[in-house]
Structure formats: structure tokens, C-alpha cells
Amino acid sequence: MRLNYVETGPADAPVVLLGSSLGTTHAMWAPQTGVLSERFRVVAFDHRGHGESEVPAGPYTIDDLGGDILELLDTLGADQASYVGISLGGAVGLWLAENAPDRFHRFALLCPPCNPAENAQMWTERAAKVRAEGTQAITELTLGRWFLPGFDDLDPVREQLLDTPDEGYAACCEALGTTDLTPGLKDITAPVLLVTTEQDESVPPETVIPLASAIPGAHLEIIENAAHLVSYSHPDTINPLLLAHLT
């Protein structure tokens, strides 16, 4: 699987991977890449089925999405990295923490769904809707969940959603609909920063807060007056948290 990625920062610095949300690309990390690349070799990538990455026919599984990241590490020639992920990227981060602990130093997981299989029917229905009507059928509703009223820099994210291949989006929905990472949380050994927000409708805080107790040593931050795509809407809050955790 060939993943598209953009690399910034010193080539000899520690590697940090940035995993984006369902329906977005590496470009959603624009508020973070400049700051992080002052200290790290930052690699922001597109999940399979997204952006300029390959779009194999679905369904996908979380094993597929996580395995893609391990292949990307090999492509980069990096034995180890740290990982920052949000939403879908956060779920992939949990999978990596459970299944490839030797490849990662630490994780920062923003609004990560741990057991999206609890809502399997919803993911199946959304996949069918996108295959039938395209991502435009879910774009405005998604933006309404991701950002609070009054946030006006929506167009870049809207364009990413509209440009996401229908099959890639739908197949990643199916991956989430079969994912339950709860059993492996207790075995995570890397340092983990968890971030949730008070107004997240996509991954409600009551589903993230318990992860801080389930993952040994995890640190939890709850962001006020923010919704799901908090790294994009609140970089002044998120960037210092990431720098403090990753360094």
C-alpha cells in the first residue's frame, strides 16, 4: 500500500507521524506542522482511500490501516517514531500502541474512538450512503459536528471532505464499524497523551475519559469550548500540549 505523505523538518531529527481524521488529508495538520518541524522530522500522511494515497476496494480493517503505517515507517527508514493522531487517526494510534510497541516512543491521541464497533450499524449505513450519494451527502453534517458555531475557517476542511474518494471514505467507515480496541488498552506501555473536548459530538468525552484509567500512565486533557477537530480549531491550545508531550 502506497501512502501519500509530506515531510518537513530536519532529516536527522526524531520522526513524528501525523494521522488525520476520516475524510481529511495531511493538510488538516497545517496548524501543527510548522511548529513541530522546528524540532522533529514531521511526516503527515493520507490514510489509504484518502487524499493522494491509493484507494483499494473495501472493506478495510483497522489492521489494514495500522499495517499501512508500519510499512510507511519502513519506507522512511525509521526504526521508531512518535505518533499523533486524531479521530480515525487516533484509533489507528491505539492499534499501533497495542500491536507495535517496539516501533513507537510515545503517542498523542486526540478524540480517539476506542470501540466504534458499538455503533456498527451507523458506520454501515454511512458507508452505504456515501457509496450511493458521494461524500457531499455527509459533508455539511460532518462539519457541524466537528466545529462549534462561529468557527469560520471551514472551507479547507470542506474541500478535503468533498475530495475524499467515495470508496475510500466508505471503506474506512467499515473499518471503524468492526473495531474494538478495548481489550488491549491495559497492555499499552508507551507514554500516551489523551485529548478530548467538552463539545465533541463525534467521539463524546465520556467515551475518551475512561481510557485514561485503562491505559497505564496515560495523561488526559479536556479542552473547553471546542468540538471534534480540535487540532484545527484550537492550535494555540493543542500545539503546546503536543510539544510538551513529544519532547
Side-chain angles (χ1 to χ4, degrees), residues 172-198:
C172 282
C173 286
E174 291 166 332
L176 288 168
T178 58
T179 294
D180 180 5
L181 297 161
T182 307
L185 296 177
K186 67 183 184 303
D187 299 319
I188 292 176
T189 55
V192 175
L193 168 67
L194 293 167
V195 176
T196 187
T197 71
E198 288 186 340

Tab-separated table of all heavy atoms in Angstrom, residues 172-198:
chain	number	residue	atom	x	y	z
A	172	CYS	N	-13.289	3.031	4.988
A	172	CYS	CA	-12.771	3.368	6.316
A	172	CYS	C	-13.902	3.392	7.341
A	172	CYS	O	-13.686	3.050	8.509
A	172	CYS	CB	-12.033	4.703	6.275
A	172	CYS	SG	-10.375	4.595	5.566
A	173	CYS	N	-15.118	3.779	6.933
A	173	CYS	CA	-16.274	3.628	7.815
A	173	CYS	C	-16.431	2.166	8.237
A	173	CYS	O	-16.693	1.862	9.411
A	173	CYS	CB	-17.547	4.093	7.115
A	173	CYS	SG	-17.735	5.873	6.941
A	174	GLU	N	-16.296	1.271	7.276
A	174	GLU	CA	-16.438	-0.158	7.579
A	174	GLU	C	-15.336	-0.642	8.511
A	174	GLU	O	-15.566	-1.515	9.360
A	174	GLU	CB	-16.453	-0.948	6.271
A	174	GLU	CG	-17.714	-0.688	5.461
A	174	GLU	CD	-17.645	-1.175	4.031
A	174	GLU	OE1	-16.529	-1.228	3.457
A	174	GLU	OE2	-18.702	-1.497	3.464
A	175	ALA	N	-14.140	-0.070	8.375
A	175	ALA	CA	-13.063	-0.425	9.303
A	175	ALA	C	-13.431	-0.012	10.726
A	175	ALA	O	-13.263	-0.795	11.681
A	175	ALA	CB	-11.763	0.238	8.865
A	176	LEU	N	-13.945	1.190	10.887
A	176	LEU	CA	-14.340	1.646	12.215
A	176	LEU	C	-15.484	0.804	12.767
A	176	LEU	O	-15.521	0.504	13.971
A	176	LEU	CB	-14.753	3.117	12.161
A	176	LEU	CG	-13.598	4.107	11.967
A	176	LEU	CD1	-14.128	5.488	11.635
A	176	LEU	CD2	-12.710	4.157	13.198
A	177	GLY	N	-16.384	0.392	11.910
A	177	GLY	CA	-17.529	-0.391	12.358
A	177	GLY	C	-17.200	-1.776	12.850
A	177	GLY	O	-18.064	-2.449	13.437
A	178	THR	N	-15.979	-2.217	12.643
A	178	THR	CA	-15.556	-3.536	13.128
A	178	THR	C	-14.410	-3.440	14.135
A	178	THR	O	-13.741	-4.433	14.412
A	178	THR	CB	-15.116	-4.430	11.953
A	178	THR	OG1	-14.049	-3.785	11.236
A	178	THR	CG2	-16.275	-4.690	10.995
A	179	THR	N	-14.190	-2.246	14.693
A	179	THR	CA	-13.033	-2.017	15.564
A	179	THR	C	-13.442	-1.909	17.024
A	179	THR	O	-14.279	-1.082	17.392
A	179	THR	CB	-12.296	-0.726	15.148
A	179	THR	OG1	-11.734	-0.903	13.848
A	179	THR	CG2	-11.195	-0.388	16.136
A	180	ASP	N	-12.831	-2.726	17.862
A	180	ASP	CA	-12.936	-2.613	19.314
A	180	ASP	C	-11.539	-2.820	19.892
A	180	ASP	O	-11.022	-3.936	19.918
A	180	ASP	CB	-13.909	-3.638	19.896
A	180	ASP	CG	-14.024	-3.537	21.415
A	180	ASP	OD1	-13.418	-2.608	21.995
A	180	ASP	OD2	-14.709	-4.376	22.027
A	181	LEU	N	-10.935	-1.743	20.350
A	181	LEU	CA	-9.560	-1.787	20.855
A	181	LEU	C	-9.501	-1.873	22.376
A	181	LEU	O	-8.419	-1.832	22.962
A	181	LEU	CB	-8.801	-0.549	20.372
A	181	LEU	CG	-8.651	-0.473	18.847
A	181	LEU	CD1	-8.322	0.944	18.403
A	181	LEU	CD2	-7.583	-1.434	18.371
A	182	THR	N	-10.659	-2.039	22.998
A	182	THR	CA	-10.725	-2.048	24.461
A	182	THR	C	-9.866	-3.145	25.093
A	182	THR	O	-9.167	-2.878	26.084
A	182	THR	CB	-12.185	-2.200	24.920
A	182	THR	OG1	-12.986	-1.203	24.286
A	182	THR	CG2	-12.298	-2.071	26.419
A	183	PRO	N	-9.866	-4.381	24.587
A	183	PRO	CA	-9.139	-5.438	25.299
A	183	PRO	C	-7.642	-5.194	25.441
A	183	PRO	O	-7.033	-5.676	26.407
A	183	PRO	CB	-9.415	-6.684	24.433
A	183	PRO	CG	-10.705	-6.389	23.754
A	183	PRO	CD	-10.655	-4.923	23.462
A	184	GLY	N	-7.031	-4.459	24.523
A	184	GLY	CA	-5.584	-4.289	24.574
A	184	GLY	C	-5.102	-3.050	25.294
A	184	GLY	O	-3.890	-2.825	25.413
A	185	LEU	N	-6.015	-2.222	25.796
A	185	LEU	CA	-5.606	-0.962	26.422
A	185	LEU	C	-4.675	-1.176	27.611
A	185	LEU	O	-3.703	-0.432	27.810
A	185	LEU	CB	-6.838	-0.180	26.870
A	185	LEU	CG	-7.792	0.296	25.773
A	185	LEU	CD1	-9.005	0.987	26.405
A	185	LEU	CD2	-7.093	1.241	24.802
A	186	LYS	N	-4.945	-2.187	28.401
A	186	LYS	CA	-4.168	-2.421	29.620
A	186	LYS	C	-2.732	-2.807	29.341
A	186	LYS	O	-1.861	-2.726	30.229
A	186	LYS	CB	-4.843	-3.519	30.452
A	186	LYS	CG	-4.818	-4.893	29.802
A	186	LYS	CD	-5.558	-5.915	30.628
A	186	LYS	CE	-5.452	-7.322	30.036
A	186	LYS	NZ	-5.957	-7.396	28.631
A	187	ASP	N	-2.441	-3.221	28.109
A	187	ASP	CA	-1.103	-3.684	27.762
A	187	ASP	C	-0.250	-2.607	27.089
A	187	ASP	O	0.900	-2.859	26.732
A	187	ASP	CB	-1.197	-4.899	26.830
A	187	ASP	CG	-1.933	-6.066	27.483
A	187	ASP	OD1	-1.697	-6.309	28.681
A	187	ASP	OD2	-2.734	-6.720	26.791
A	188	ILE	N	-0.797	-1.415	26.906
A	188	ILE	CA	-0.036	-0.331	26.278
A	188	ILE	C	1.063	0.124	27.231
A	188	ILE	O	0.821	0.373	28.414
A	188	ILE	CB	-0.968	0.840	25.904
A	188	ILE	CG1	-1.917	0.404	24.782
A	188	ILE	CG2	-0.161	2.069	25.483
A	188	ILE	CD1	-2.946	1.457	24.406
A	189	THR	N	2.268	0.243	26.722
A	189	THR	CA	3.421	0.596	27.554
A	189	THR	C	3.989	1.972	27.234
A	189	THR	O	4.686	2.556	28.063
A	189	THR	CB	4.540	-0.439	27.381
A	189	THR	OG1	4.868	-0.559	25.989
A	189	THR	CG2	4.088	-1.803	27.896
A	190	ALA	N	3.743	2.516	26.053
A	190	ALA	CA	4.292	3.820	25.678
A	190	ALA	C	3.554	4.935	26.417
A	190	ALA	O	2.374	4.795	26.750
A	190	ALA	CB	4.171	4.031	24.170
A	191	PRO	N	4.211	6.056	26.658
A	191	PRO	CA	3.512	7.209	27.222
A	191	PRO	C	2.435	7.710	26.263
A	191	PRO	O	2.696	7.874	25.070
A	191	PRO	CB	4.622	8.252	27.398
A	191	PRO	CG	5.895	7.455	27.436
A	191	PRO	CD	5.664	6.293	26.521
A	192	VAL	N	1.243	7.943	26.783
A	192	VAL	CA	0.101	8.346	25.957
A	192	VAL	C	-0.502	9.631	26.509
A	192	VAL	O	-0.832	9.711	27.696
A	192	VAL	CB	-0.974	7.246	25.911
A	192	VAL	CG1	-2.209	7.732	25.152
A	192	VAL	CG2	-0.423	5.982	25.266
A	193	LEU	N	-0.642	10.628	25.641
A	193	LEU	CA	-1.433	11.817	25.925
A	193	LEU	C	-2.784	11.645	25.263
A	193	LEU	O	-2.870	11.407	24.052
A	193	LEU	CB	-0.741	13.062	25.368
A	193	LEU	CG	-1.585	14.351	25.346
A	193	LEU	CD1	-1.890	14.823	26.761
A	193	LEU	CD2	-0.889	15.437	24.533
A	194	LEU	N	-3.856	11.765	26.036
A	194	LEU	CA	-5.218	11.708	25.522
A	194	LEU	C	-5.828	13.108	25.593
A	194	LEU	O	-5.687	13.801	26.604
A	194	LEU	CB	-6.068	10.754	26.362
A	194	LEU	CG	-5.711	9.270	26.313
A	194	LEU	CD1	-6.431	8.529	27.436
A	194	LEU	CD2	-6.069	8.671	24.966
A	195	VAL	N	-6.483	13.502	24.515
A	195	VAL	CA	-7.162	14.796	24.475
A	195	VAL	C	-8.607	14.565	24.078
A	195	VAL	O	-8.887	13.852	23.104
A	195	VAL	CB	-6.489	15.756	23.478
A	195	VAL	CG1	-7.289	17.060	23.381
A	195	VAL	CG2	-5.047	16.039	23.889
A	196	THR	N	-9.514	15.157	24.823
A	196	THR	CA	-10.921	15.176	24.451
A	196	THR	C	-11.448	16.590	24.619
A	196	THR	O	-10.749	17.456	25.160
A	196	THR	CB	-11.745	14.182	25.293
A	196	THR	OG1	-13.081	14.117	24.791
A	196	THR	CG2	-11.784	14.583	26.754
A	197	THR	N	-12.649	16.843	24.121
A	197	THR	CA	-13.228	18.178	24.217
A	197	THR	C	-14.623	18.087	24.802
A	197	THR	O	-15.316	17.074	24.666
A	197	THR	CB	-13.312	18.857	22.837
A	197	THR	OG1	-14.330	18.231	22.052
A	197	THR	CG2	-11.991	18.774	22.105
A	198	GLU	N	-15.046	19.173	25.429
A	198	GLU	CA	-16.337	19.158	26.109
A	198	GLU	C	-17.513	19.025	25.152
A	198	GLU	O	-18.540	18.458	25.502
A	198	GLU	CB	-16.499	20.436	26.945
A	198	GLU	CG	-15.629	20.472	28.185
A	198	GLU	CD	-15.927	21.679	29.048
A	198	GLU	OE1	-16.498	22.656	28.533
A	198	GLU	OE2	-15.586	21.638	30.246
